Amino acid sequence: MAGQTLRPFLTRAATLYPDRAVVARTGDGIDRDTYAGYADRVRRLASALRAVGIDRGDRVATLCWNHDNHFTAYFAVPDLGAQLHTINPLLPADDVQRIVAEAGDRLLFVDPSLVDTLRDAYAPDAFASVERVVVVGADAPDLPLPTTTLTDFVADHGGDYDPPTLDGDDPAGLCYSSGTTGDPKGVAYTQRMLWSHTMAIMTPMGLDIADADVVMPVVPMFHINAWGLPYAATAAGAKQVYPGPSPDPADLVGLIEREGVTLTAGVPTVWLGVLEYLQDHDADLSTLSRIVVGGAAPPERLIRAFDDRGIEVVHGWGMTETAPVGAVSHLKPGLRDADYETQLAKRKKQGLILPGLEFEVVDDDGDTVPHDGEAMGELRVRGPWVAEGYVDGDDGAFDGSWLRTGDVVTVDPDGYVELVDRAADVIKSGGEWISSQAVENAIMSHEAVSEAAVVGVPHERWGERPVVYVVADADRDEDDLIAAAADRVRREFPDWWVPDQFRFVESVPKTATGKFAKTALRERRDEPLSGPVAADPPNDDA
Amino acid sequence: MAGQTLRPFLTRAATLYPDRAVVARTGDGIDRDTYAGYADRVRRLASALRAVGIDRGDRVATLCWNHDNHFTAYFAVPDLGAQLHTINPLLPADDVQRIVAEAGDRLLFVDPSLVDTLRDAYAPDAFASVERVVVVGADAPDLPLPTTTLTDFVADHGGDYDPPTLDGDDPAGLCYSSGTTGDPKGVAYTQRMLWSHTMAIMTPMGLDIADADVVMPVVPMFHINAWGLPYAATAAGAKQVYPGPSPDPADLVGLIEREGVTLTAGVPTVWLGVLEYLQDHDADLSTLSRIVVGGAAPPERLIRAFDDRGIEVVHGWGMTETAPVGAVSHLKPGLRDADYETQLAKRKKQGLILPGLEFEVVDDDGDTVPHDGEAMGELRVRGPWVAEGYVDGDDGAFDGSWLRTGDVVTVDPDGYVELVDRAADVIKSGGEWISSQAVENAIMSHEAVSEAAVVGVPHERWGERPVVYVVADADRDEDDLIAAAADRVRREFPDWWVPDQFRFVESVPKTATGKFAKTALRERRDEPLSGPVAADPPNDDA
């Protein structure tokens, strides 16, 4: 059979939905085009890329926000069997240098507003492979690389483009993982991986996308293909809305209202901001039926607040290595009639692994753990849209076709996966596992605590014991707070999950993406302790 | 990434929906099992098949109705990388012999009620490859082949089955086309083809199948995998209901009511029978939301009657070579607010080609025809679940990766494909095409006409001219009827579409599947004519 490739998705949309709109906020206004228009723009851009020698397996980078021309590149680059390498502009300059050098990007698209980011990241050695920069704007700025504008780049290209025949095994994309547990790792996507992911998230057990939908990806297009929404919305023939550079809550609400958005997606903080905005502003969000949330678990109040407005918050789980969506937390038929609190407890979880994937959860001995909602193990997944290695050849995270996700999870009797910790952060104490995140959440539920980061420190008898770094109100009594916080941990977990030490600090160090820098904390394990030992050691039958 | 194979669909259902039911009407009662139960039955059956030497690429035939053990075979046979060869028990004995011989089936499952069919079809040479018959019933009848019961066959097999590692390219299925235009042709399905088809029909633009659905395939499991529903329902985690041998309308209505069926599927005549039954019987069909209809276009009154009951008739198109679903006639967003008659006109069509496929419609010169709803051409499709050849090596129906469907269609400006004729039946007259089916429908709309079959006969000047074989009421006046019928054709089509001759016959010869045997009719072209020439010849500017 013919290949599983991305091109037919756009061809079909341009044929069956030629007038359906793909719109993008530019900052100054709205760029409004159609699938027929985009099919033409993609042909022109692919033709121009080929004319400068971009070919199968080459890498073309983007340093761009969510907009019309980024969408064009999403189809034009893979149309040649080249890899679209979406670079996260929030990465530190040395990470950008490292990944551009490793990828060997031959051409780089950059937004005018990100030219300075590019300039800051530029280093001659790291960028040695980059032959050309194409600026998605009116003027070509002065850069230490050959630079042109997109308009000039595509000027002489048009209808005579004859696309190459592609196969499912041909390259399509490249994305670097966020690197919270080390350097960013490059994940290459084949046409088949993205094809399979597209079909999967269109299904009702995925994100349920149809032609009647109006899809607005707020999740950045530089972040794992905007969770695959640009491809899936095109495949379904849905209308698409791109929020452009740095949208604020007013921009997002305005786009939802004016364009009739039915489905949008982004990290929880975006929607917390929208909620806050909505407290002071009237808005008609009647078209919006669901908000897909990922990257972090949605706070319960987020789900409740949007439920009150008749908008479903749909929690999904994934990672760069899974292209990215691997699970979605839909309510199973048996839970449709359950009470609201029961439903909420399920909906907060990472959810049900998608059709087409396989999963297992294994403990340190490699045994699968029971689906009792309590036993913890590392989640492993495999399937047609799951990577089996990194571009640098490192396959340490893989076991044959299985991806070790590095996520420690439980699975409840209904099959819902819940992420309880990263494998690197879980504390192994007396042969049992302690979820650092669970303990942090319990301690942070104390009103005097603003931050709590739990790490394991070596312990002669128990292997590791938890220690917590706490940012607390200046006027708190340390002993009272420790007693109260320990009590909160004990309410939900065994006694021996209570940290041995509470270390009061001014702030917890964080990574570039705002997560607790636990590696740095673990290096501070020999600091003098403060606070008493609050818990009995585990399994203390000696 | 790991392969696109069928096994993970069942594994996932058994893990996430272990208690969800798969039920089958047996004739005496109901067989009630769960996905967990089926996972075990599939392992046992696969283990038993392997023990008798069934291996990758082998063919295992079924001569079975829609029931629990057929469903088990749907997963057990492909689990070994063997091909499940579903034989249509309605085929003439010589066709069965031909396809069993060509397939080289090594093992054959047969229902007790179809043992006589097998006996009638048996011929030592044709069945030389068949090593064993497994009867899906209590007793092993006397057959000229080694015969055992299913119970005995799987008796010693259980949990120690270690499934082989499969890939998307491994074999999975085999089905012979119905052969209305020649001998049945074998189409082999790879794991990847069935995986892709499964994902596609789960999407909202396909048949929109979710875990909350209760799916009842009435379309036979021997007929192109029951349109793929057993695989898609499993992938989604839906409840499944199999109607067993020879269900009548009362059986179907009873199953819908008792099992809460939400989606069912079958040819239009099944649902016309159900409608008739419902006229005299009260039934609560409130759970049923849609009936998928294919194989023939649904009569308008079928759609209207079920609309009145709040049940949507969804028209789909496909063929053996497309595994089978290729198009579904959903209403596009722009048509949701259209008046009912406009919607009906779209819903009756074969519909919108599914995401993931490509299509084109070409005329005799190989040029694509405009999407104006009038220009006719042959539909060509290609994609991940479209065959690229037959098992006997005949690739005459294929042009590289394109399948020439043999269906003559129009495409309207909204992109809806409408089948107007089979390519073999279209009449080429004066350089233009006449749809034999369209003319038949116009003539059959006359109340005195019960059957009308239009074929082309050679014509010196125009190439071909249409002739119609008519079955009419005995007391009609021939000339009046011809005049009235010709008038009905002229109302919808150009003058020169009116048949040159009307041939009144007692009955129109039919194929084994009940369609007009036009090949036989064309051989009668030299019969003496009756009736006047009713139309001007086409393009008569001489």
Side-chain angles (χ1 to χ4, degrees), chain B residues 418-447:
Chain B
E418 181 170 21
L419 198 158
V420 294
D421 215 343
R422 288 289 298 168
D425 298 335
V426 81
I427 295 148
K428 291 165 185 177
S429 190
E432 304 281 343
W433 287 9
I434 297 172
S435 160
S436 67
Q437 283 184 21
V439 176
E440 287 161 4
N441 290 339
I443 294 173
M444 284 194 283
S445 73
H446 190 292
E447 51 285 356

Side-chain angles (χ1 to χ4, degrees), chain B residues 119-136:
Chain B
R119 220 174 250 129
D120 292 345
Y122 177 76
D125 286 355
F127 281 67
S129 64
V130 181
E131 300 160 22
R132 193 179 310 257
V133 172
V134 177
V135 180
V136 187

Side-chain angles (χ1 to χ4, degrees), chain B residues 42 45 62 68-78 84 109 231:
Chain B
V42 165
L45 181 55
T62 59
D68 54 327
N69 288 309
H70 208 174
F71 177 70
T72 308
Y74 260 55
F75 278 96
V77 175
L84 181 79
F109 291 95
Y231 295 125

Side-chain angles (χ1 to χ4, degrees), chain B residues 224 259 421:
Chain B
I224 328 172
E259 303 296 339
D421 215 343

Side-chain angles (χ1 to χ4, degrees), chain B residues 110-467:
Chain B
V110 63
D111 277 0
S113 62
L114 292 169
V115 164
D116 284 343
T117 303
L118 175 58
R119 220 174 250 129
D120 292 345
Y122 177 76
D125 286 355
F127 281 67
S129 64
V130 181
E131 300 160 22
R132 193 179 310 257
V133 172
V134 177
V135 180
V136 187
D139 305 302
D142 192 34
L143 281 169
L145 287 161
T147 302
T148 183
T149 64
L150 179 62
T151 308
D152 288 345
F153 185 66
V154 301
D156 299 329
H157 298 275
D160 58 345
Y161 168 66
D162 182 27
T165 299
L166 298 179
D167 185 74
D169 294 323
D170 277 318
L174 175 65
C175 187
Y176 278 76
S177 64
S178 60
T180 49
T181 55
D183 290 338
K185 287 283 188 185
V187 178
Y189 305 121
T190 62
Q191 302 269 340
R192 175 170 296 126
M193 286 171 75
L194 298 185
W195 189 93
S196 301
H197 181 268
T198 300
M199 298 302 275
I201 70 170
M202 265 197 292
T203 69
M205 305 314 299
L207 303 180
D208 197 17
I209 300 172
D211 58 0
D213 275 310
V214 179
V215 177
M216 179 170 77
V218 180
V219 49
M221 295 177 87
F222 57 73
H223 186 68
I224 328 172
N225 296 332
W227 299 345
L229 290 169
Y231 295 125
T234 304
K239 177 177 169 181
Q240 300 185 47
V241 180
Y242 288 95
S246 313
D248 62 25
D251 295 324
L252 297 177
V253 168
L255 287 168
I256 294 167
E257 284 189 295
R258 286 192 303 276
E259 303 296 339
V261 171
T262 63
L263 182 156
T264 182
V267 293
T269 48
V270 167
W271 310 114
L272 290 169
V274 167
L275 271 186
E276 200 170 326
Y277 173 85
L278 290 173
Q279 283 172 356
D280 303 324
H281 299 82
D282 280 338
D284 175 10
L285 303 186
S286 57
T287 60
L288 187 63
S289 66
R290 54 227 193 273
I291 298 175
V292 181
V293 165
E300 210 172 281
R301 69 183 177 92
L302 185 74
I303 302 179
R304 288 180 191 274
F306 280 109
D307 275 339
D308 288 346
R309 292 172 173 270
I311 298 163
E312 186 189 2
V313 171
V314 179
H315 185 204
W317 168 87
M319 36 200 309
T320 309
E321 292 84 344
T322 60
V325 184
V328 177
S329 204
H330 290 295
L331 282 182
K332 292 171 71 175
L335 293 162
R336 302 273 170 100
D337 298 327
D339 62 85
Y340 185 74
E341 299 303 318
T342 303
Q343 293 182 340
L344 205 56
K346 298 294 185 185
R347 290 169 60 197
K348 281 163 56 185
K349 297 190 177 194
Q350 274 64 25
L352 303 168
I353 297 292
L354 293 190
L357 296 185
E358 295 172 274
F359 78 105
E360 56 181 33
V361 179
V362 297
D363 63 19
D364 268 350
D365 299 325
D367 295 324
T368 58
V369 307
H371 292 190
D372 58 7
E374 298 196 353
M376 289 181 278
E378 186 181 17
L379 177 65
R380 295 154 55 109
V381 295
R382 69 177 176 189
W385 60 95
V386 178
E388 293 185 0
Y390 293 112
V391 294
D392 67 359
D394 177 2
D395 61 0
F398 302 88
D399 180 4
S401 55
W402 286 103
L403 165 70
R404 298 190 183 110
T405 65
D407 281 341
V408 173
V409 304
T410 60
V411 186
D412 68 25
D414 289 312
Y416 287 79
V417 166
E418 181 170 21
L419 198 158
V420 294
D421 215 343
R422 288 289 298 168
D425 298 335
V426 81
I427 295 148
K428 291 165 185 177
S429 190
E432 304 281 343
W433 287 9
I434 297 172
S435 160
S436 67
Q437 283 184 21
V439 176
E440 287 161 4
N441 290 339
I443 294 173
M444 284 194 283
S445 73
H446 190 292
E447 51 285 356
V449 176
S450 58
E451 294 182 2
V454 174
V455 296
V457 298
H459 188 283
E460 200 173 326
R461 180 164 181 191
W462 307 117
E464 283 187 324
R465 288 294 301 151
V467 161

Side-chain angles (χ1 to χ4, degrees), chain A residues 1 12 16 332 353 388, chain B residues 1-2 12 16 332 353 388:
Chain A
M1 58 282 146
R12 177 182 178 276
L16 300 186
K332 291 171 72 175
I353 297 292
E388 293 184 0
Chain B
M1 58 286 146
R12 177 181 177 277
L16 299 187
K332 292 171 71 175
I353 297 292
E388 293 185 0

Side-chain angles (χ1 to χ4, degrees), chain A residues 170 231 290 307 495:
Chain A
D170 277 317
Y231 295 126
R290 53 226 193 274
D307 275 339
D495 263 8

